[in-house]
Amino acid sequence: MLSTSSFLLVLFVCQTSKPRIFLCTNSIMNVLARSARAAVKPMRMARFYASEAPAGAASDKLRLTFAVPHQAIYKNTEVHQVNLAATSGDMGVLANHVPTIEQLKAGVVEVLENASTTKKYFVSGGFATINPDSTLNINAVEAFELDQFSPEAVRAGLAEAQKASATGSEEEKAAAKIEVEVYEALTAALTK
């Protein structure tokens, strides 16, 4: 008796002949799939580290667009460097950075506009897209300058969120846990 998991029914249609039905094993199908993948050569993409970028390919400045749903904080502005709190780890982004997409965690986005001007924003989450043309797009759910926060209010909010995470329904506990994580990240950002 044939098992349906070990055999596949395949319909081949050729222009010169009638449709034919073949019974193939999974191993034959795997060989066919590997052959088809080997026959199609993937397009080769050139990737460079910042120090290996082609000469003249881009300027030494990073072009930043940083937006939240209700406003654009930076719009295609030249900056020297941006430091991000990504879920994969903290990272610094300069011009000619390797293209990537990063999920932002609750933490600080530090914008070094030039050698003497630095602005720090606290974001609750979002995404950063680093493009090959030395542009960086940051889309955040919320972003506020760090100096807008009161350390006392943050500590009080953290204590309240910790109490809420101990009582209530499962949904309320989950929401309170997220609130605790954000308050802890904000506390860490304010103490640096």
Side-chain angles (χ1 to χ4, degrees), residues 87-165:
T87 56
S88 61
D90 292 348
M91 63 187 300
V93 180
L94 294 165
N96 302 317
H97 194 283
V98 175
T100 187
I101 298 174
E102 294 291 335
Q103 181 180 356
L104 300 177
K105 65 180 180 180
V108 176
V109 171
E110 181 180 21
V111 180
L112 287 77
E113 294 177 347
N114 54 46
S116 61
T117 308
T118 300
K119 291 190 179 174
K120 292 183 179 183
Y121 297 88
F122 183 81
V123 297
S124 60
F127 287 91
T129 307
I130 304 165
N131 300 303
D133 62 351
S134 291
T135 59
L136 169 62
N137 299 315
I138 299 174
N139 297 308
V141 178
E142 297 173 318
F144 298 97
E145 284 193 59
L146 271 181
D147 60 5
Q148 294 180 349
F149 293 98
S150 161
E152 295 80 25
V154 171
R155 281 192 293 273
L158 177 58
E160 187 178 314
Q162 287 171 332
K163 276 192 260 180
S165 67

Side-chain angles (χ1 to χ4, degrees), residues 1-10 22-29:
M1 178 112 199
L2 296 177
S3 163
T4 56
S5 63
S6 61
F7 289 92
L8 296 173
L9 194 60
V10 180
F22 295 96
L23 191 61
C24 297
T25 65
N26 283 341
S27 60
I28 293 173
M29 290 304 293

Side-chain angles (χ1 to χ4, degrees), residues 11-96:
L11 175 66
F12 287 100
V13 180
C14 298
Q15 291 179 345
T16 58
S17 65
K18 296 179 185 177
R20 296 183 184 195
I21 297 176
F22 295 96
L23 191 61
C24 297
T25 65
N26 283 341
S27 60
I28 293 173
M29 290 304 293
N30 289 337
V31 169
L32 290 173
R34 279 195 304 272
S35 300
R37 280 193 297 270
V40 178
K41 298 285 182 196
M43 235 175 81
R44 182 168 164 79
M45 289 182 55
R47 292 186 59 176
F48 303 97
Y49 289 103
S51 62
E52 297 175 354
S59 73
D60 62 341
K61 292 287 188 175
L62 180 67
R63 299 200 64 79
L64 173 65
T65 299
F66 183 8
V68 291
H70 59 280
Q71 79 179 59
I73 298 169
Y74 288 90
K75 188 172 183 181
N76 204 24
T77 306
E78 282 191 355
V79 298
H80 179 69
Q81 179 177 345
V82 177
N83 297 322
L84 304 169
T87 56
S88 61
D90 292 348
M91 63 187 300
V93 180
L94 294 165
N96 302 317

Side-chain angles (χ1 to χ4, degrees), residues 170-183:
E170 290 300 315
E171 188 175 309
E172 291 169 340
K173 286 180 182 179
K177 182 180 177 192
I178 294 169
E179 198 172 343
V180 167
E181 289 174 10
V182 171
Y183 274 121

